[in-house]
Amino acid sequence: MLRPKIPAMPTPTGLISPPAVVEPTTVVQHHPAPVQAPAPTPSRPTVQLTRGTALALVGGGTAVVLVVGAVLVSMLLAAAVTGASVAVCALVIRSLITADTKRR
C-alpha cells in the first residue's frame, strides 16, 4: 500500500547509430615570428599635482575625517544616553515594585 511505484526504464525509440570511431591526427606546431608591438601611448594626460591641488586634497581629506568622526561620536553618545535612561527606568520600576510589596 505504501510502497512507491518505480517507473520501468522505457525502451529507446527511433534509430540508434553506433558510436563514431575517432582516429588520432598529428598536431603540427607552428611558431610565428615574434612581432614587436609599438610602445603604447597614453590616451589621457597624466595628472600633475601642484601645491594648490595638494592642499585642496589634504583639506578635503581632513574635512571628511572630521565629519565621519563627529557622526560616530554622536552615535556613541546617543547609545550612552539611551543606556543610561533605560537603567534609570529600571531602577524606578524596581523601587516601585519593592515599595509596593513592603506596604502590603
Side-chain angles (χ1 to χ4, degrees):
M1 179 175 148
L2 297 175
R3 300 177 79 191
K5 294 183 180 178
I6 300 173
M9 187 68 168
T11 57
T13 58
L15 297 174
I16 299 175
S17 61
V21 178
V22 178
E23 295 181 11
T25 58
T26 58
V27 177
V28 177
Q29 294 183 355
H30 181 265
H31 297 289
V35 178
Q36 291 189 359
T41 57
S43 59
R44 55 184 177 184
T46 57
V47 177
Q48 294 180 356
L49 289 178
T50 62
R51 273 204 166 151
T53 55
L55 283 175
L57 285 175
V58 169
T62 304
V64 167
V65 167
L66 289 177
V67 168
V68 169
V71 168
L72 291 177
V73 167
S74 65
M75 288 173 62
L76 181 64
L77 183 63
V81 168
T82 304
S85 65
V86 167
V88 168
C89 289
L91 288 175
V92 169
I93 291 173
R94 182 174 141 192
S95 68
L96 287 175
I97 290 174
T98 30
D100 190 34
T101 57
K102 284 184 180 178
R103 273 192 245 153
R104 289 183 183 181

